[in-house]
């Protein structure tokens, strides 16, 4: 396959993600495997530019949540096809960071958390999603077991928001605070709250969450 | 004399309303709902519902739903604490009450939202008690100076001491039901008196789409057995937790409400249940749930129409706003909502005072909304025929300098035909300047302080008061409090 054909394939991949066309994205991913293309390059130059463009369209006010979440889902499905091949070839795609995410105990709301989780995954983070109503102990145990870099906590109720605070206190008590970056979010959560409980970051929406986590990941590497 | 026509809104065509109901029945029959409560599952199983092999998903045969609809009362009568004033919840009667369970209060002097303290809750309850167009009290604010575990029972405790009106409330924890029930029984004087003369409505919220959690299903069952009216609060968010089309969301809404109705009727045939909700249009940009969106209000009006068609009392969260402070948005959204609710004949309308997506209460806004409520009530009184003929006699003997101001007829009718509001500004520009160019919110703040200067506990019965305090303290001690926060000495 010559360079021009590759370019065409990448353009199709980008467009599939922008349109949120799962079927096309999955087929294109399979095609890349059949053609024995360099899959890391395929992801970097085909799919990733698609999700970046989606982010831009959101920022410009062109895209709304249904488009945003469909594109993230599309990205996930393409990655699900490519990931086993990458593993088989021992060709690991560099994950930016490993993240344990969930909605804190007592809170069954998970739409916001799912949005953040999808966007992070679409942007190349490894996600361990514990779901909703998750015991604080479980966040910590999973993060330790999986050697995670981040713990992300969602809370949609002011009554459960305090769980975010408690988790940070628990990390301190167990002398684990320095091991994980803690990022919080959810409807009642504010930057002030995040600061007052000593969280490392706060995302007011899914894209802001991606931005802050990317920034924190860079800082971590630079150290 | 011709009968007065009550202005009325019926937003759905009979054909569309019929289809929504029919699809809701089919949805219950085919997909059913998820029930995470063993007792409810057992009731449903023995009632003839099919529990699927996953043990959680329950399909409702049409016959079962129809039977429950047949058993449920079309009207509920609530009584105030004295037991003498009755409120009919049914037909096209409209009862406004403050929007409930706010987690912040808009502190007007500081111009910011903050956590409410006991003192704020007491002030709020006292103010709502004084406003005649708010027929019911609600547990509108959640005090932050007591442990979370008693947040639900503590707000009812304060409402029962500082107001005599019926209360719209609900549990946050399963265990709180018992405590809240005991307090209601103390005030009413026993279980059977409470059943005879209900004093409170308990909200029970299914989780959209189509799920009853353990807590809410339990509240439904426990309330049904005690004759405490349950208000079913379905709350789909269009395009997020329910279909994006308004009609599609209505199908889910009706199915969720009916499933709750069945659970309540199986627990106690004839149990009082209110067809209610807090659905919302989902903002596809912000991911928020605007209660002031016109589509939210259209869904409310439509499900209420269906609730009436099913012969059930109705409820909605209307007359509230998503604004963060008392501005034009706060007024316009609350005004449109209250008027549409009244025109739709919704029986229990929760909303006045609320801001910021059901999360913030404001005493000043409550007072402003109280004027809106009065206007809404006036609207649905309609235009009556007072005289026969209507006006011809009044023009007899007309001259060039003729006027109506000094006419006996004017004195006879002006107070009945026209509403006199306290806060809205109808002065001349000059007078307004001279009075200090005050905005509506600023005038409301002054009026709040004035009204609260004279407020005091409503519950005068020392024995009942002591008993309530004993129950509350006993509960509070379980969660580490040694004493309850003191009541404020002064309210202003």
């Amino acid at each position: 396959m010559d360079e021009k054909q590759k370019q065409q394939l990448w353009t199709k991949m980008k467009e599939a993600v922008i349109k949120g066309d799962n079927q096309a994205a999955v087929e294109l991913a399979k095609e890349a495997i059949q053609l024995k293309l360099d899959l890391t390059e395929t992801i970097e130059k085909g799919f990733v530019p698609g999700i970046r463009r989606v982010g831009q369209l959101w920022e410009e006010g062109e895209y709304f949540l249904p488009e945003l979440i469909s594109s993230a889902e599309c990205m996930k499905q393409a990655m699900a096809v490519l990931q086993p091949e990458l593993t088989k070839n021992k060709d690991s795609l560099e994950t930016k960071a490993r993240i344990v995410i969930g909605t804190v105990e007592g809170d069954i709301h998970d739409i916001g958390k799912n949005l953040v989780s999808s966007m992070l995954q679409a942007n190349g983070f490894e996600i361990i999603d514990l779901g909703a109503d998750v015991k604080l102990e479980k966040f910590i145990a999973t993060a330790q077991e999986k050697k995670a870099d981040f713990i992300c906590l969602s809370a949609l109720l002011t009554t459960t928001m305090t769980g975010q605070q408690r988790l940070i206190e628990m990390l301190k008590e167990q002398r684990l605070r320095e091991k994980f970056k803690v990022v919080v979010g959810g409807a009642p959560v504010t930057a002030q709250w995040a600061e007052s409980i000593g969280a490392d970051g706060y995302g007011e929406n899914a894209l802001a969450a991606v931005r802050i986590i990317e920034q924190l990941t860079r800082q971590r590497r630079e150290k | 004399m011709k009968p007065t026509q009550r202005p009325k809104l019926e937003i759905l065509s009979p054909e569309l309303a019929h289809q929504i109901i029919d699809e809701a029945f089919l949805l219950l029959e085919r997909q059913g709902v998820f029930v995470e409560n063993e007792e409810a599952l057992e009731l449903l199983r023995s009632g003839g519902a099919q529990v699927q092999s996953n043990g959680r998903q329950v399909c409702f045969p049409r016959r079962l739903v129809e039977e429950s609809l047949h058993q449920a009362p079309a009207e509920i009568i609530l009584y105030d604490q004295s037991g003498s004033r009755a409120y009919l919840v049914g037909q096209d009667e409209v009862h406004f009450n403050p929007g409930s369970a706010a987690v912040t209060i808009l502190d007007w002097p500081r111009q910011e939202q903050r956590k409410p303290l006991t003192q704020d809750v007491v002030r709020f309850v006292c103010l709502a008690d004084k406003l005649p167009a708010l027929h019911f009290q609600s547990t509108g604010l959640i005090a932050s100076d007591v442990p979370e575990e008693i947040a639900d029972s503590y707000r009812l405790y304060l409402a029962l001491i500082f107001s005599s009106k019926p209360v719209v409330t609900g549990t946050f924890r399963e265990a709180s039901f018992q405590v809240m029930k005991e307090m209601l029984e103390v005030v009413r004087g026993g279980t059977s008196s409470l059943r005879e003369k209900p004093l409170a409505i308990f909200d029970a919220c299914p989780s959209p789409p189509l799920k009853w959690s353990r807590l809410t299903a339990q509240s439904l069952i426990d309330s049904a057995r005690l004759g405490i009216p349950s208000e079913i609060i379905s709350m789909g968010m269009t395009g997020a937790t329910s279909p994006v089309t308004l009609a599609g969301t209505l199908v889910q809404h009706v199915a969720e409400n009916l499933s709750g109705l069945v659970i309540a009727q199986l627990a106690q045939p004839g149990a009082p249940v209110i067809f209610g909700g807090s659905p919302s249009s989902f903002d596809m940009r912000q991911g928020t749930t605007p209660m002031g969106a016109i589509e939210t209000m259209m869904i409310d009006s439509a499900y209420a129409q269906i609730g009436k068609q099913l012969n059930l009392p109705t409820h909605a969260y209307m007359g509230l706003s998503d604004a963060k402070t008392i501005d034009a948005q706060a007024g316009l959204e609350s005004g449109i909502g209250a008027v549409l609710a009244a025109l739709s004949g919704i029986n229990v309308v929760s909303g006045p005072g609320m801001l910021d997506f059901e999360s913030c209460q404001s005493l000043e806004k409550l007072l402003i909304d109280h004027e809106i409520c009065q206007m809404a009530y006036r609207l649905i009184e309609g235009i009556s025929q007072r005289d026969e003929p209507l006006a011809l006699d009044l023009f007899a003997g007309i001259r060039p300098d003729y006027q109506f101001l000094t006419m006996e007829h004017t004195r006879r009718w002006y107070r009945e035909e026209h509403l006199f509001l306290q806060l809205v500004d109808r002065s001349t520009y000059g007078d307004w300047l001279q009075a200090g160019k005050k905005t509506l919110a600023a005038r409301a703040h002054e009026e709040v302080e004035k009204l609260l200067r004279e407020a005091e506990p409503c519950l005068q019965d020392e024995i009942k008061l002591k008993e309530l305090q004993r129950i509350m303290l006993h509960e509070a001690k379980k969660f580490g409090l040694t004493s309850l926060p003191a009541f404020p000495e002064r309210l202003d």
Side-chain angles (χ1 to χ4, degrees):
Chain A
M1 188 175 230
D2 62 29
E3 203 53 34
K4 197 179 161 199
Q5 284 169 309
K6 269 204 234 172
Q7 290 282 1
Q8 281 172 347
L9 193 67
W10 291 338
T11 307
K12 282 190 198 163
M13 288 169 173
K14 180 177 166 183
E15 279 169 3
V17 174
I18 293 172
K19 282 190 202 143
D21 185 341
N22 292 341
Q23 209 182 336
V26 166
E27 274 162 21
L28 287 165
K30 285 182 183 162
E31 200 179 326
I33 295 169
Q34 273 165 6
L35 293 168
K36 300 203 185 332
L37 297 180
D38 176 344
L39 297 185
T40 315
E41 188 187 39
T42 304
I43 294 166
E44 286 301 326
K45 297 192 172 159
F47 292 110
V48 168
I51 200 73
R52 282 218 191 97
R53 177 71 190 133
V54 168
Q56 278 172 357
L57 287 166
W58 165 271
E59 303 278 356
E60 288 162 12
E62 187 63 37
Y63 266 19
F64 284 63
L65 286 172
E67 290 92 0
L68 188 68
I69 198 73
S70 305
S71 292
E73 186 54 36
C74 182
M75 187 79 184
K76 261 160 72 178
Q77 295 210 7
M79 291 304 292
V81 174
L82 298 172
Q83 202 66 54
E85 291 298 316
L86 285 169
T87 321
K88 217 181 340 181
N89 303 342
K90 300 210 170 76
D91 201 14
S92 74
L93 181 71
E94 191 200 2
T95 41
K96 295 179 184 165
R98 190 171 294 153
I99 298 170
V100 171
I101 189 170
T103 308
V104 297
E105 57 193 326
D107 202 327
I108 53 159
H109 300 85
D110 59 4
I111 288 188
K113 185 267 298 163
N114 290 346
L115 271 167
V116 174
S117 175
S118 292
M119 285 312 292
L120 284 168
Q121 211 168 349
N123 281 280
F125 289 93
E126 188 184 334
I127 298 295
I128 302 154
D129 190 336
L130 299 177
D133 194 9
V134 181
K135 287 251 172 295
L136 300 179
E137 292 78 7
K138 193 171 173 192
F139 280 104
I140 298 176
T142 313
Q144 278 191 289
E145 186 195 324
K146 306 276 183 188
K147 299 196 166 41
D149 306 296
F150 285 87
I151 299 178
C152 291
L153 301 165
S154 171
L156 267 290
L157 305 172
T158 46
T159 46
T160 54
M161 216 164 93
T162 46
Q164 300 177 332
Q165 185 172 21
R166 274 208 303 280
L167 183 118
I168 292 176
E169 283 161 10
M170 281 162 70
L171 285 174
K172 283 183 191 157
E173 283 160 19
Q174 298 173 30
R175 299 182 183 282
L176 294 170
R177 182 65 189 93
E178 299 309 313
K179 282 189 78 173
F180 312 107
K181 294 277 176 201
V182 180
V183 175
V184 296
V189 177
T190 59
Q192 272 171 317
W193 165 254
E195 203 190 320
S196 73
I197 63 170
D200 298 296
Y202 152 74
E204 79 169 315
N205 58 48
L207 279 173
V210 173
R211 266 201 305 273
I212 182 73
I213 289 169
E214 278 184 334
Q215 190 189 329
L216 289 167
T217 307
R218 273 198 304 276
Q219 285 172 6
R220 209 179 165 97
R221 285 224 188 102
E222 280 156 17
K223 269 188 195 166
Chain B
M1 296 285 186
K2 296 168 188 68
T4 305
Q5 174 172 306
R6 182 188 185 289
K8 206 170 164 174
L9 171 66
E10 282 199 340
I11 193 164
L12 297 169
S13 70
E15 295 77 19
L16 190 60
H18 179 82
Q19 186 171 352
I20 290 166
I21 295 171
D22 199 51
E23 286 197 27
F25 271 101
L26 289 171
L27 188 57
L28 286 173
E29 211 161 34
R30 292 175 187 168
Q31 269 73 33
V33 299
F34 296 90
V35 179
E36 297 180 338
N37 179 298
E38 286 309 319
E39 198 178 353
L41 282 167
E42 195 41 54
L43 283 169
L44 286 162
R45 204 176 282 125
S46 53
Q50 279 97 43
V51 180
Q52 302 301 300
S53 52
N54 58 23
R56 287 272 175 269
Q57 199 174 354
V58 185
C59 293
F60 295 62
R62 196 178 188 103
R63 175 198 51 78
L64 177 61
V65 183
E66 283 170 349
E67 242 171 56
S68 296
L69 275 169
H70 191 68
Q71 289 167 336
E75 292 169 2
I76 297 166
I77 301 173
L78 289 180
Y79 294 84
D80 69 356
Q81 282 192 14
S82 74
S84 57
R85 177 140 189 218
Y87 302 83
L88 174 70
V89 179
Q91 300 174 26
D92 285 334
E93 293 293 307
V94 176
H95 304 290
F96 286 105
N97 64 279
S100 62
V103 286
T104 61
I105 182 167
L106 179 64
D107 186 321
W108 188 253
R110 283 167 56 187
Q111 286 293 311
E112 62 183 25
Q113 291 187 20
R114 61 168 171 79
K115 299 264 164 207
L117 303 170
T118 295
Q119 161 146 358
D120 299 308
V121 183
V122 170
R123 279 166 52 93
F124 181 81
V125 169
C126 287
L127 185 64
D129 192 67
K130 280 179 168 283
L131 304 177
L134 298 177
H135 293 180
F136 304 155
Q137 187 63 249
S138 80
T139 40
L141 278 171
I142 298 171
S144 65
D145 50 356
V146 297
E148 279 165 42
E149 290 86 349
I150 61 166
D152 48 6
S153 49
Y154 187 65
R155 61 185 187 148
L156 177 64
Y157 165 73
L158 296 179
L160 291 174
I161 292 175
F162 290 94
S163 174
S164 61
K165 293 179 180 179
V167 199
V168 180
T169 187
T171 55
F172 301 153
R173 288 168 63 249
E174 233 174 289
S176 300
F177 185 88
Q178 183 62 25
V179 187
M180 293 168 75
K181 175 209 117 178
E182 271 178 46
M183 294 198 287
L184 289 169
E185 286 173 351
V186 166
V187 173
R188 186 56 95 213
T191 312
S192 59
S193 311
L194 185 63
R195 185 187 296 278
E196 239 168 75
K197 292 193 166 181
L199 178 60
I201 294 172
F202 275 49
D203 285 347
C205 317
S207 317
L210 303 170
K211 191 165 85 183
W212 283 95
S213 71
R214 213 181 59 188
L215 167 75
T216 53
Q218 200 59 47
S219 173
L220 262 183
I221 294 170
D222 294 342
S223 300
R225 294 201 169 125
L226 286 159
I228 296 174
S230 277
E231 206 163 66
I232 299 180
I233 312 291
S234 294
M235 42 186 173
M237 303 184 273
T238 58
T241 60
S242 67
V244 76
T245 53
L246 306 193
T249 280
L250 283 163
V251 170
Q252 179 182 320
H253 190 100
V254 175
E256 285 181 349
N257 253 270
L258 289 177
S259 63
L261 179 85
V262 171
I263 295 172
Q265 298 310 312
L266 287 172
Q268 178 65 57
V273 174
I274 300 169
F275 195 90
S278 180
S280 72
S281 150
F282 183 71
D283 187 288
M284 288 297 181
R285 187 72 202 166
Q286 309 283 346
T288 51
T289 55
M291 299 308 294
I294 195 71
E295 297 83 2
T296 298
M297 303 181 203
M298 290 163 76
I299 297 168
D300 291 334
S301 175
Y303 78 69
Q305 183 183 335
I306 288 172
K308 284 172 185 296
Q309 200 170 322
L310 295 171
N311 223 6
L312 294 167
T314 54
H315 155 273
Y317 267 96
M318 295 174 91
L320 67 177
S321 169
D322 306 315
K324 312 300 177 281
T325 188
I326 304 172
D327 58 7
Q329 183 183 342
L332 79 92
E333 290 176 339
S334 304
I336 294 172
V339 164
L340 288 179
L343 287 175
S344 306
I346 297 172
N347 305 135
V348 183
V349 184
S350 306
M354 275 212 134
L355 292 162
D356 198 5
F357 315 106
E358 295 183 12
S359 75
C360 177
Q361 262 292 0
S362 154
L363 278 74
E364 288 74 17
K365 181 172 183 288
L366 188 69
L367 211 57
I368 297 169
D369 292 352
H370 182 251
E371 308 238 312
I372 297 176
C373 296
Q374 292 174 69
M375 291 169 92
Y377 281 134
R378 176 63 189 94
L379 170 69
I380 56 173
E381 273 174 23
I383 297 179
S384 305
Q385 180 177 13
R386 307 288 194 189
D387 310 282
E388 181 60 47
L390 301 173
L392 288 177
D393 293 351
L394 303 174
F395 292 93
I398 192 161
R399 296 176 306 271
D401 62 342
Y402 202 64
Q403 45 82 13
F404 297 88
L405 201 55
T406 52
M407 210 177 267
E408 172 57 28
H409 183 263
T410 301
R411 295 268 307 269
R412 166 73 187 84
W413 289 112
Y414 85 96
R415 283 173 191 271
E416 280 179 65
E417 289 273 296
H418 301 270
L419 186 62
F420 292 87
L421 295 173
Q422 300 288 315
L423 285 179
V424 295
D425 179 35
R426 290 170 179 172
S427 64
T428 62
Y429 182 65
D431 287 347
W432 178 74
L433 275 184
Q434 205 156 32
K437 296 203 257 186
K438 284 174 196 150
T439 62
L440 178 60
R443 293 194 299 275
H445 180 65
E446 288 176 359
E447 189 65 18
V448 165
E449 297 307 315
K450 215 162 84 190
L451 284 169
L452 286 178
R453 214 167 289 151
E454 296 139 21
E456 57 178 30
C458 283
L459 188 63
Q460 299 294 342
D461 186 323
E462 275 299 316
I463 299 168
K464 287 182 178 177
L465 190 62
K466 284 239 161 67
E467 185 58 10
L468 280 185
Q469 282 171 330
R470 187 195 63 76
I471 295 171
M472 194 67 246
L473 184 62
H474 179 73
E475 185 67 8
K477 279 182 174 168
K478 290 184 198 162
F479 303 100
L481 276 192
T482 48
S483 64
L484 295 170
F487 295 145
E489 297 264 314
R490 291 171 57 90
L491 292 173
D492 52 338

